[in-house]
Amino acid sequence: MNLGEIFRSVLLNLQANKFRVFLTSLGIIIGSFTIIMVVGIGKGSEKAVADQYKRLSVETIMIRKARISSGGGGRQLTNEQAAQMKDLANVKAVGFTLGAQAGISYGSATENTSVLGVSESYQQMINLELASGNYLRDKDGEKRNKVALLGDNIAQLLFGEHLADVIGKTVTIKGRKYEVKGILKRVGDGVLGSDNGGGLPAGFGGGGSIDDSVFIPYEVAEKYIAGSRSSPMITVQAENINAVAPAIEEISEFIENKTGDSSSYSIMDAGSRLSTAQATAKTMSALLIAVATIVLVVGGIGIMNVLFVSVKERTREIGILKSIGAKRKDILREFLLESMLISIAGGMIGSGLSLVTLPLLKYLNLQAIPSTEGILLGLIFSVLTGTFFGYYPALKASKLKPIHALNYE
Amino acid sequence: MNTDAIRMNGIKKSYGAGATRVNVLNEVSLKVKKGEFVAVLGPSGSGKTTLMNIIGLIDTHDEGEYILDGEDLESKDENEYSEIRNRKIGFVFQKFNLITKYTALYNVALPLLLRGADRRQAEESAAKMLEKVGLADRKHYKPVELSGGQQQRVAIARALVGEANIILADEPTGALDTKTGQEIVEILKTLNKNGKTIVLITHDTNIAKQAGRIIHVRDGQVYEH
């Protein structure tokens, strides 16, 4: 029988059992949907990681007190001591940050956002650019001046579109009044159109975008914003990219000398932190793909089940076809094609659903990127599942002896 | 020069194993010449349906020699059996065995489609066959919309469409009333006049008598007198 005819007869069968076909393909629909979502979310989180580290140059080294200190040894490194790291041969600059989520208000407008205490040097390290006003100075910190730099988004949320005369106005952060010292340039809508550009390095008080952040002097944040248990992150900039490794060694030795135990601090350069974060994102993706695969396998078993029922129901028909000359391969192809069609249709419906759903994920604060890769993967997996699980019932059907099939009631 | 459509020598067939083993056919030898109309007559359980299934290659024999249309069937595989069924044998069953979801036309076209013919050609030939059995106006009906007699005529059209020379009819009148049954027998007789070899299985003596020759089956053996 030529393939066109087999195809026609399969379609006829599917049509006659629409509801069952739908139920059968449900497993495949959900499976391919999951795969595409997972790939989208995986890509999204990889991109988010990349964005987060985008503003940190590879010369950056981050030092922070390890959450679980090993053996409790070692004294805390004071900020004065840490600042001395600037004198190390391979270190160009040392900056401090300390952050927390806090409420900020102006008039009746109130926003909750990440408030970061930063040292003067840190502003240069992450290339903060002013739209208007002045940078924070170390003097501001020493004098505990309550001044703030506002990210573009947060400034707009508080003051509206017109930011011209905002400098010098007073905002309230965590119940205390701060003078607006500067407004930062918008980083989000860069020429490249990156939608989450200008992210801040992970490990910060809030993470997130510079546009949504408020910067205040480090010492002020230490006093009024951060809790007593939070420890600062020390950011060190190496002289150049080749100085990163020697700088890490120097820093480790320095901390060892000052505190007696360097292992209670984690020292990591931006490059390896980035790759660790990416690896984490990848592991996550792999895990989710495993879950999606399980869903598909379950869907495949569903197909196999229904196909077995279908073979049973049509045993007589198979007998008739064989008695008038159908060969094994005719029967095999018919049932295999049926299962493949079900799975292809399921895969396509699943893809369609995922394309509709992926953009909605941003409301859950998940970044997901639809990709042809994901859709291809989803479709390929569906077809493979359909073929794999359809093969056995189809083979069984094709091997039915005509005499037994004909006499089947 | 071979003039036998069917030649069987010492065919044995049994079902089951051990103590429950039942010998259905016991050393059956049989010859049917080309163009003959043979009735195989016997009570139910005599083994006549098994005989017909073996003749029609939808069941296999355990022992013995079977030559169909000059072809020794020893050492042929299942696909070759399918091929032979498709080209040399036309079946007419008691229960018609039409595929209910297809129209009469498509049912009749199936043997040609299974050969790989394209649909237009196959349906053209099928339409001609339906005309021959008097169902030209019913070709787009599905089996359930047809009477028993009409269904059996569709089945005959299907048996003929592939131009098989041997028609095997297993109790073709069994599910029909006497009058309709007789109509079917008349069609078979006409086919025989036009050169087809007919093997008709029945338990009805009145129908068997209309064949050119009667073979009796009893307890797994054949007799002729």
Side-chain angles (χ1 to χ4, degrees), chain A residues 35 314 396 405-406:
Chain A
I35 283 196
R314 287 158 66 192
K396 270 199 112 168
L406 268 178

Side-chain angles (χ1 to χ4, degrees), chain A residues 33-80:
Chain A
F33 173 81
T34 316
I35 283 196
I36 296 167
M37 296 297 275
V38 157
V39 171
I41 292 170
K43 282 200 170 294
S45 63
E46 272 173 42
K47 182 172 178 292
V49 168
D51 285 344
Q52 269 185 345
Y53 286 86
K54 199 162 69 181
R55 294 190 76 81
L56 276 186
S57 59
V58 283
E59 294 110 63
T60 312
I61 299 162
M62 283 154 282
I63 305 161
R64 92 176 317 186
K65 185 104 171 101
R67 294 243 160 88
I68 304 153
S69 82
S70 50
R75 296 171 298 275
Q76 178 105 18
L77 195 66
T78 65
N79 287 347
E80 288 71 32

Side-chain angles (χ1 to χ4, degrees), chain A residues 1-2 5-6 8-10 12-13 314 316-317 319-330 334 398-404 406-407 409, chain B residues 15 53 57-60 78-80 82-83 85-86 89 91 93 95 97-99 101-102 106-107 110-111 113-119 123 158:
Chain A
M1 189 123 102
N2 67 46
E5 279 313 309
I6 294 182
R8 206 176 94 97
S9 123
V10 170
L12 206 78
N13 263 308
R314 287 158 66 192
R316 240 181 112 75
E317 178 188 327
I320 295 169
L321 284 171
K322 284 208 157 181
S323 74
I324 60 174
K327 296 186 176 141
R328 268 190 190 181
K329 71 166 195 283
D330 294 321
E334 165 133 9
S398 75
K399 281 188 171 169
L400 282 172
K401 293 238 177 308
I403 177 74
H404 296 139
L406 268 178
N407 291 334
E409 292 297 334
Chain B
Y15 291 114
N53 287 337
L57 300 179
I58 54 183
D59 202 354
T60 48
E78 213 195 293
N79 276 333
E80 287 167 306
S82 289
E83 189 80 35
R85 279 197 295 270
N86 184 267
I89 301 168
F91 285 99
F93 298 96
K95 290 175 190 157
N97 279 352
L98 299 172
I99 296 176
K101 65 188 171 197
Y102 296 142
Y106 199 78
N107 264 293
L110 267 172
L113 292 171
L114 285 168
R115 266 178 216 183
D118 70 61
R119 194 153 96 243
E123 290 193 338
R158 182 179 64 188

Side-chain angles (χ1 to χ4, degrees), chain A residues 124-140:
Chain A
Q124 277 89 57
M125 279 187 198
I126 62 166
N127 305 316
L128 283 189
E129 283 182 84
L130 286 172
S132 59
N134 288 300
Y135 284 110
L136 303 172
R137 298 291 168 206
D138 281 340
K139 256 192 308 192
D140 290 324

